[in-house]
Amino acid sequence: MKSTLSAPEARRIALAAQGFAQPRVEAPGVRQLNASMRRMGVTQIDSVNVFARSHYMPSFSRLGAYDTATLDRLLAREPRHVEALITRARARAKLNDPHLAIEDFSAGIAASSRPEPDYYLERAAVLAATTPALLDEAIRGLDEGLKQLGTGVVTLQLAALDLEVRAGRLDAALARIDRSAANSPRKE
């Protein structure tokens, strides 16, 4: 067995792992797009277009010419595409549609095997900005993130602390600091 690879061999292996070695079909459809997205693991939805919208390009480079409307329909009906949900949540938040933004953030978090801390932070920010009555829900969402990702995610701890103070619950904020300090690996 070889223990080293030449540069061309390594390049061929890397390209094949990304799906570039697959034979192309004449008219790629839903099956090929699904397989391609599964192989890539993620599809970044991006509305900036110079040649074509950028999220169309990875599938094009792997499958050849395909009907982009098929990909649009697939992304619209597939709730497990985390990036699509989070991107739509961000757009809805900017368009002043907080309730649908919160729904999409929650769906994106639920669909992700390891959600990013930013997803929880952004959802909490939308909740907190919507109405003071949703501060508790924002804090619960941050606590959910801490439970999922671990109590060491400082950004989530600080955001929850800030919301406790904003809600006027100073005792709860102090208790949160005490819990955080108790869980800290450094006792100073």
Side-chain angles (χ1 to χ4, degrees):
M1 176 181 284
K2 282 176 81 171
S3 61
T4 61
L5 296 172
S6 67
E9 288 171 320
R11 222 178 346 269
R12 279 193 299 278
I13 290 169
L15 289 170
Q18 294 177 47
F20 288 106
Q22 299 295 319
R24 291 186 174 183
V25 297
E26 192 171 314
V30 171
R31 182 177 301 137
Q32 290 80 19
L33 285 167
N34 260 328
S36 178
M37 287 190 301
R38 251 191 320 278
R39 204 173 15 260
M40 289 184 283
V42 71
T43 298
Q44 179 177 339
I45 306 299
D46 190 352
S47 60
V48 175
N49 61 343
V50 176
F51 172 70
R53 293 180 70 196
S54 63
H55 67 279
Y56 295 142
M57 299 309 293
S59 294
F60 175 81
S61 64
R62 288 160 176 82
L63 301 172
Y66 69 95
D67 180 8
T68 57
T70 303
L71 179 59
D72 291 338
R73 284 190 305 276
L74 176 65
L75 291 172
R77 74 169 193 252
E78 288 292 327
R80 64 183 190 270
H81 291 292
V82 176
E83 281 295 322
L85 289 165
I86 297 300
T87 300
R88 187 171 66 186
R90 290 172 177 151
R92 286 177 164 171
K94 287 190 185 301
L95 293 170
N96 268 340
D97 198 347
H99 299 292
L100 290 177
I102 292 162
E103 268 183 41
D104 282 343
F105 276 122
S106 297
I109 289 167
S112 179
S113 59
R114 180 130 172 101
E116 296 291 324
D118 284 349
Y119 301 169
Y120 293 100
L121 291 168
E122 291 177 72
R123 179 179 64 180
V126 172
L127 281 162
T130 302
T131 175
L134 293 178
L135 282 177
D136 286 340
E137 190 176 336
I139 292 167
R140 279 193 302 277
L142 291 168
D143 285 337
E144 170 195 334
L146 288 164
K147 184 178 178 182
Q148 173 80 12
L149 303 175
T151 57
V153 183
V154 176
T155 54
L156 297 181
Q157 289 283 13
L158 291 173
L161 180 63
D162 181 55
L163 292 177
E164 294 281 16
V165 170
R166 238 171 98 184
R169 294 193 295 262
L170 300 181
D171 287 341
L174 289 172
R176 186 176 288 279
I177 291 171
D178 289 342
R179 282 192 309 275
S180 184
N183 291 330
S184 175
R186 292 179 57 179
K187 309 289 185 216
E188 294 177 9

